[in-house]
């Protein structure tokens, strides 16, 4: 019994419950919105959201993993910055600049042979993302500019810059998209095409999932190792907790702020590269004045995963799962924006996490003091009876 | 000469919403709460008021409709800001997270409801602009000033200046303003003399919600004929204006005029003969306000004097 109680009082369980609670409340709120807008089909709508990627069979699950790949990386980007005390809202700008770099290398550098082409493209994407985060990092470390505003500005600058660069170099003007990359630049399937497809008669309806998901999971593990098993990660976390104490201990906090932002930017840029290097049936960059939504969805992923890289993998898959369900909602005359509303509610309620985290131990403690209170009242009554009996 | 009038009037259309929203930001940050959700509040205020105009423009028009729309925008802003207030003050949560949540909620909600309610399921809400005053009766005929200030204006422009004057008076000349500022600098000291810090912070956040909602409406009406669930990042520009203005209303005005001018150059460069001759593509022009913001922030944040206790949830029991 004690072991079970200790499990319930442990930190890890509390953190997980607060995230799960936030998810449940977010889904509940979404269900209420569905009810209000279309009562008769609300339950079906909720069912579709919960069935998520499974709604479209094995291909759907493949698509869930495909869209989870950039989310894992942008979640890592935001989560890594969180752990080091910074708020990286600029993941969207870093993402799209990384995507541009990857596609540009994919289209133009055709002199590279097969495995090197996509490797170089991914490295280029990471480098570009890191560069894009370098400026807010330097501004924060040396000029005390609040990184929330500078990263938001870099988001918009990145969006317009990427659109401009695509329009001048790799534009498909008939479709307002970027050109698709050379075949040698496409990420290999990594064995996943044997699993995730739907059979339409004799034709295989393939999912676009590829080895990007393996790369994303590998990077998450690497980040986990960096944060928890190296001195470098320890110094970064120390700066995040208290930069003055770290400076007193001899850690160069300005250098660490810049390095954290650059690493976060590299992660987001890599995410952009992984999403758009998926071949002819995959995505191509749309040249519109809209911020990359994958960048902003990294924030709930990081919050739900509590900035822990392993948790981020799961929360990215979860968010991708309900987003796929949301796309399928259009068959019921619901708008897929309901998923964005649900995700926003999940973030809102996860901000209450601190409050909920102390709720369960407080409840257990309350039960314990009530039990002890009853026991002591009984003992007092017995004492009074004994005294009365003595007299 | 007419180009100067045009540039000036356009600058007004871009600066006044920035001014109004930044003043709202000043109120909340001075009370100690970071409000990143200004963008979301602008979108919600603009959405409800423009939807109101869209529904009522058959039966009403003109300034009366605009005044009612202003009231609706303000009310929506206040209601939406209560979410942020509850999270930041009662739940003592991270104010940046709850602000980000509201920012993500607002456009999704606006698109969702627009597509549900409008007959053909489009997400843009269109309206006809019957509010432009081509020339104020007497004042519009003054030689130079008339053309600059009193032609092609909206009542919202003048409303913006009125709000500026009221903000300066409230913040610096009233008891309420003094107490509000105290809560942002040292809430424990304010609490020790009996000021209810929670109530002051609620007031600050609700004022910012009201002004941000109004700012959303003021942004959309002069510059387009439909609302597409976005305010082009204006809420964030307003935050930068507030920081550049060092949380003081008069400096916020100067900062807002500067950014309005940048935005005007970005969108109206084809009309200015000097700039339309240069072969700079339109995307670069669109980047100009944001790059200018970054440069300005780089130089003004070193000696930034933010309210001391901003962003820290107030906990009575802590030291």
């Amino acid at each position: 019994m004690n072991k079970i109680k200790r499990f319930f009082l442990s930190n890890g369980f509390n953190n997980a419950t607060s995230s799960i609670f936030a998810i449940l409340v977010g889904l509940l709120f979404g269900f209420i919105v569905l009810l209000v807008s279309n009562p008769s089909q609300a339950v079906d709508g909720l069912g579709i959201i919960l069935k998520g990627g499974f709604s479209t069979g094995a291909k759907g699950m493949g698509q869930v993993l495909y869209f989870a790949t950039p989310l894992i990386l942008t979640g890592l980007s935001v989560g890594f910055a969180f752990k080091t005390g910074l708020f990286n809202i600029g993941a969207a700008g870093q993402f799209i600049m990384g995507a541009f770099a990857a596609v540009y290398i994919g289209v133009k550098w055709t002199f590279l042979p097969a495995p090197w082409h996509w490797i170089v493209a991914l490295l280029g994407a990471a480098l570009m993302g890191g560069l894009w985060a370098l400026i807010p990092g330097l501004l924060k470390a040396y000029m005390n500019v609040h990184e929330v505003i500078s990263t938001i500005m870099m988001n918009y600058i990145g969006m317009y810059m990427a659109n401009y660069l695509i329009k001048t170099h790799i534009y498909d003007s008939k479709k307002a998209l970027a050109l698709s990359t050379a075949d040698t630049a496409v990420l290999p399937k990594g064995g996943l095409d044997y699993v995730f497809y739907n059979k339409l008669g004799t034709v295989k309806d393939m999912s676009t999932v590829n080895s990007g998901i393996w790369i994303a999971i590998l990077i998450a593990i690497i980040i986990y190792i960096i944060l928890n098993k190296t001195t470098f990660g320890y110094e970064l976390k120390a700066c995040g907790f208290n930069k003055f104490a770290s400076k007193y201990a001899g850690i160069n906090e300005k250098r660490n702020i810049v390095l954290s932002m650059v690493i976060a930017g590299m992660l987001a840029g890599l995410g952009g590269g992984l999403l758009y290097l998926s071949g002819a049936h995959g995505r191509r960059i749309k040249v519109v004045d809209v911020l990359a939504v994958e960048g902003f969805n990294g924030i709930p992923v990081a919050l739900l995963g509590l900035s822990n890289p392993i948790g981020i993998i799961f929360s990215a898959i979860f968010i991708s799962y309900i987003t796929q369900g949301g796309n399928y909602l259009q068959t019921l005359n619901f708008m897929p924006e309901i998923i964005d509303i649900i995700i926003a509610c999940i973030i809102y309620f996860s901000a209450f996490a601190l409050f909920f985290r102390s709720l369960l131990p407080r409840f257990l403690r309350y039960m314990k003091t009530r039990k002890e209170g009853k026991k002591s009242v009984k003992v007092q009554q017995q004492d009074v009876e004994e005294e009365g009996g003595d007299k | 000469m007419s180009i100067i009038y045009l540039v000036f009037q356009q600058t007004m259309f871009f600066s006044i919403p920035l001014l109004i929203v930044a003043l709202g930001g000043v109120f909340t940050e001075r009370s100690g709460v970071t409000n990143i959700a200004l963008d979301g509040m602008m979108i919600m205020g603009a959405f409800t008021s423009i939807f109101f105009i869209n529904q009522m423009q058959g039966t009403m028009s003109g300034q009366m409709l605009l005044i009612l729309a202003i009231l609706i925008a303000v009310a929506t802003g206040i209601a939406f800001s209560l979410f942020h207030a509850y999270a930041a003050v009662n739940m003592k949560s991270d104010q940046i997270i709850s602000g980000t949540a509201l920012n993500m909620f607002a456009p999704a909600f606006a698109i969702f409801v627009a597509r549900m309610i409008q007959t053909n399921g489009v997400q843009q809400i269109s309206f006809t602009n019957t509010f432009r005053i081509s020339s104020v009766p007497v004042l519009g005929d003054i030689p130079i000033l008339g053309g600059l200030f009193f032609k092609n204006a909206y009542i919202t422009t003048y409303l913006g200046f009125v709000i500026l004057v009221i903000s300066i008076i409230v913040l610096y000349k009233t008891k309420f303003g003094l107490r509000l500022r105290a809560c942002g600098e040292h809430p424990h000291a304010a609490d020790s003399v009996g000021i209810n810090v929670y109530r002051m912070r609620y007031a600050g956040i609700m004022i910012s919600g009201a002004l941000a909602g109004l700012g959303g409406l003021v942004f959309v009406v002069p510059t387009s004929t439909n609302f597409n669930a976005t305010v082009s990042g204006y809420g964030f520009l307003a935050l930068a204006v507030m920081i550049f203005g060092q949380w003081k209303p008069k400096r916020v005005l100067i900062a807002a005029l500067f950014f309005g001018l940048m935005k005007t150059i970005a969108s109206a460069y084809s009309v200015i003969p000097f700039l339309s001759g240069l072969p700079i593509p339109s995307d670069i022009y669109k980047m100009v306000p944001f790059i200018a913001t970054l440069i300005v922030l780089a130089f003004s944040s070193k000696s930034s004097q933010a309210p001391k206790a901003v962003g820290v949830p107030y906990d009575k029991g802590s030291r």
Side-chain angles (χ1 to χ4, degrees):
Chain A
M1 189 61 211
N2 255 336
K3 249 199 189 164
I4 300 181
K5 222 195 269 182
R6 243 186 295 150
F7 171 71
F8 278 123
L9 286 173
S10 76
N11 236 358
F13 181 72
N14 267 333
N15 293 346
T17 39
S18 60
S19 289
I20 296 180
F21 196 88
I23 293 178
L24 288 175
V25 179
L27 283 172
L28 179 69
F29 189 79
F31 181 58
I32 295 178
V33 174
L34 286 176
L35 266 180
V36 166
S37 48
N38 194 345
S40 53
Q41 296 178 308
V43 181
D44 292 330
L46 188 67
I48 288 188
I49 295 179
L50 289 177
K51 261 206 308 192
F54 287 120
S55 312
T56 37
K59 178 185 178 191
M61 275 318 286
Q63 293 303 98
V64 167
L65 290 179
Y66 173 63
F67 286 113
T69 311
L71 279 182
I72 293 179
L73 284 165
T74 48
L76 280 175
S77 167
V78 177
F80 188 83
F82 259 147
K83 269 269 160 86
T84 55
L86 299 166
F87 210 104
N88 182 20
I89 307 199
Q94 295 144 14
F95 183 86
I96 198 69
M97 288 306 284
F100 164 72
V103 173
Y104 182 79
I105 294 179
V107 170
K108 295 277 183 173
W109 291 16
T110 44
F111 52 84
L112 289 167
W116 294 114
H117 199 180
W118 56 264
I119 293 180
V120 170
L122 286 180
L123 285 176
L127 226 69
M128 195 57 163
L131 202 76
W132 214 245
L134 178 67
I135 302 174
L138 286 173
L139 285 177
K140 166 97 188 178
Y142 293 102
M143 312 215 95
N144 197 25
V145 176
H146 201 297
E147 78 273 10
V148 168
I149 309 231
S150 58
T151 46
I152 292 177
M153 294 295 129
M154 291 305 282
N155 272 348
Y156 283 98
I157 297 177
M159 170 180 84
Y160 292 126
M161 179 80 85
N163 283 351
Y164 170 66
L165 288 173
I166 293 178
K167 274 194 229 174
T168 48
H169 291 109
I170 45 175
Y171 197 37
D172 179 355
S173 49
K174 274 177 269 160
K175 293 193 196 165
L177 297 170
L179 293 173
S180 59
T181 60
D183 277 336
T184 46
V186 173
L187 293 164
K189 283 290 182 180
L192 289 168
D193 48 345
Y194 295 112
V195 184
F196 295 112
Y197 60 89
N198 282 341
K199 261 217 153 115
L200 299 172
T202 49
V203 180
K204 279 192 196 171
D205 185 14
M206 297 289 294
S207 154
T208 45
V209 68
N210 51 35
S211 46
I213 184 81
W214 301 132
I215 299 179
I217 295 182
L218 181 68
I219 302 265
I221 297 178
I222 293 179
I223 293 288
Y224 178 77
I225 296 177
I226 291 182
L227 270 181
N228 293 322
K229 308 282 181 196
T230 66
T231 327
F232 176 60
Y234 185 79
E235 287 186 1
L236 288 178
K237 282 195 287 187
C239 287
F241 277 124
N242 190 333
K243 68 177 185 182
F244 299 114
S246 318
K247 187 169 179 190
Y248 178 71
I251 302 176
N252 184 347
E253 90 282 12
K254 289 205 210 286
R255 183 201 71 147
N256 278 345
I257 290 179
V258 175
L259 271 176
S260 315
M261 282 303 290
V262 167
I263 293 180
M266 283 170 71
L267 289 168
L270 188 64
L274 283 179
L275 182 64
Y276 288 107
L277 282 182
S278 49
H281 300 291
R283 300 271 294 262
R284 288 155 65 178
I285 307 182
K286 281 194 222 154
V287 181
V288 279
D289 282 349
V290 172
L291 290 173
V293 75
E294 294 87 359
F296 281 110
N297 278 343
I299 301 178
V301 168
L303 285 175
L304 278 182
L306 297 161
S307 308
N308 180 329
I310 310 299
I312 285 178
I313 297 180
F314 287 112
S315 65
I317 294 182
F318 170 71
I319 299 228
S320 174
Y321 181 81
I322 56 173
T323 311
Q324 287 303 305
N327 287 337
Y328 201 59
L329 268 181
Q330 282 188 300
T331 55
L332 271 191
N333 267 336
F334 279 121
M335 306 309 147
E337 276 76 22
I338 185 72
I339 297 296
D340 295 323
I341 296 181
I342 292 179
I343 294 181
C345 291
I346 292 180
I347 310 181
Y348 183 69
F349 287 109
S350 73
F352 295 177
L354 191 62
F355 181 71
F356 288 123
R357 223 180 279 182
S358 56
L359 205 58
L360 192 57
R362 270 201 287 174
F363 181 68
L364 284 176
R365 236 176 288 146
Y366 169 69
M367 296 303 287
K368 192 166 161 209
T369 48
R370 261 187 62 181
K371 225 193 327 186
E372 281 175 5
K374 278 201 199 140
K375 235 197 277 179
S376 71
V377 165
K378 248 202 216 158
V379 169
Q380 280 177 357
Q381 278 182 336
Q382 278 178 339
D383 284 345
V384 167
E385 282 170 7
E386 282 174 12
E387 273 179 38
D390 276 354
K391 280 225 166 84
Chain B
M1 198 58 195
S2 61
I3 296 180
I4 297 186
Y5 286 156
L6 185 70
V7 169
F8 199 83
Q9 285 153 10
Q10 278 282 95
T11 307
M12 282 295 130
F13 295 156
F14 283 126
S15 308
I16 297 295
L18 269 182
L19 173 69
I20 297 178
V21 181
L23 284 174
V26 166
F27 271 101
T28 113
E29 296 235 343
R30 282 288 184 127
S31 76
V33 176
T34 323
N35 186 358
I36 306 198
L38 288 173
D39 199 73
M41 293 180 195
M42 281 178 83
I43 292 179
M44 290 300 280
F47 170 67
T48 47
S49 53
I50 290 187
F51 189 69
F52 173 75
I53 295 180
N54 174 290
Q55 296 295 308
M56 302 293 277
Q57 62 189 359
T59 48
M60 281 205 281
S61 80
Q63 308 306 322
M64 205 52 220
L65 183 60
L66 187 60
I67 293 179
L68 283 178
I70 288 177
L71 290 173
I72 290 190
V74 165
T76 315
I78 293 180
F80 194 59
S81 68
L82 285 175
F83 289 109
H84 184 55
Y86 182 68
V89 176
N90 290 54
M91 288 279 138
K92 303 191 189 17
S93 63
D94 191 331
Q95 295 156 11
I96 296 191
I97 297 180
S98 72
T100 308
L102 292 177
N103 271 343
M104 295 177 75
F105 180 84
F109 185 76
I111 295 180
F112 182 76
V113 175
R115 286 173 77 174
M116 284 253 100
I117 295 187
Q118 292 208 106
T119 41
N120 38 1
V122 291
Q123 67 185 45
Q124 291 110 328
I125 307 177
S126 58
F127 62 96
T128 45
N129 191 338
T130 52
F131 320 117
R132 181 181 283 238
I133 310 172
S134 52
S135 178
V136 178
V138 172
L139 301 165
D141 298 321
I142 307 175
I144 300 182
L145 291 178
L148 285 179
F149 287 107
F150 300 110
K151 286 213 164 99
N152 274 335
Y154 292 81
I155 57 171
T156 50
T157 316
Y158 308 122
L159 189 59
F161 283 111
V162 167
I163 291 179
L164 173 69
V165 171
I166 296 180
S167 301
I168 296 179
I169 297 177
V170 165
L171 207 53
Y172 291 112
K173 304 281 184 201
T174 62
K175 257 196 303 192
F176 170 74
L178 181 63
R179 292 177 180 173
L180 191 82
R181 283 182 287 138
C183 292
E185 300 288 341
H186 201 307
H188 284 94
D191 195 23
S192 69
V193 292
I195 300 174
N196 188 338
V197 175
Y198 297 133
R199 217 188 289 169
M200 280 292 148
R201 288 190 168 180
Y202 257 89
I205 298 176
M206 282 163 67
I207 294 177
S208 84
L211 289 177
L214 174 62
L217 175 65
V218 172
F219 174 67
V220 179
V221 162
T223 53
S224 70
T225 50
N226 62 37
F227 173 67
N228 197 0
T230 177
V231 284
S232 321
Y234 244 61
F236 302 115
L237 275 178
L239 279 176
V241 164
M242 176 187 74
I243 296 181
F244 184 30
Q246 289 296 299
W247 293 270
K248 301 187 174 89
K250 277 183 245 174
R251 296 222 194 144
V252 167
L253 171 69
I254 299 177
L257 285 173
F258 173 68
F259 289 115
L261 187 62
M262 293 282 115
K263 205 92 207 282
T264 306
I265 294 179
S267 59
Y269 70 95
S270 48
V271 187
I272 306 173
F274 168 66
L275 290 174
S276 61
L278 299 172
I280 304 179
S282 69
D283 285 309
I284 305 287
Y285 275 111
K286 284 190 225 169
M287 280 196 258
V288 162
F290 300 100
I291 298 182
T293 311
L294 263 187
I295 298 177
V296 151
L297 279 176
F299 288 115
S300 65
S301 298
K302 199 76 197 260
S303 55
S304 174
Q305 286 187 331
K308 188 146 185 275
V310 75
V312 179
Y314 176 59
D315 188 6
K316 271 202 187 179
S318 64
R319 288 194 148 272

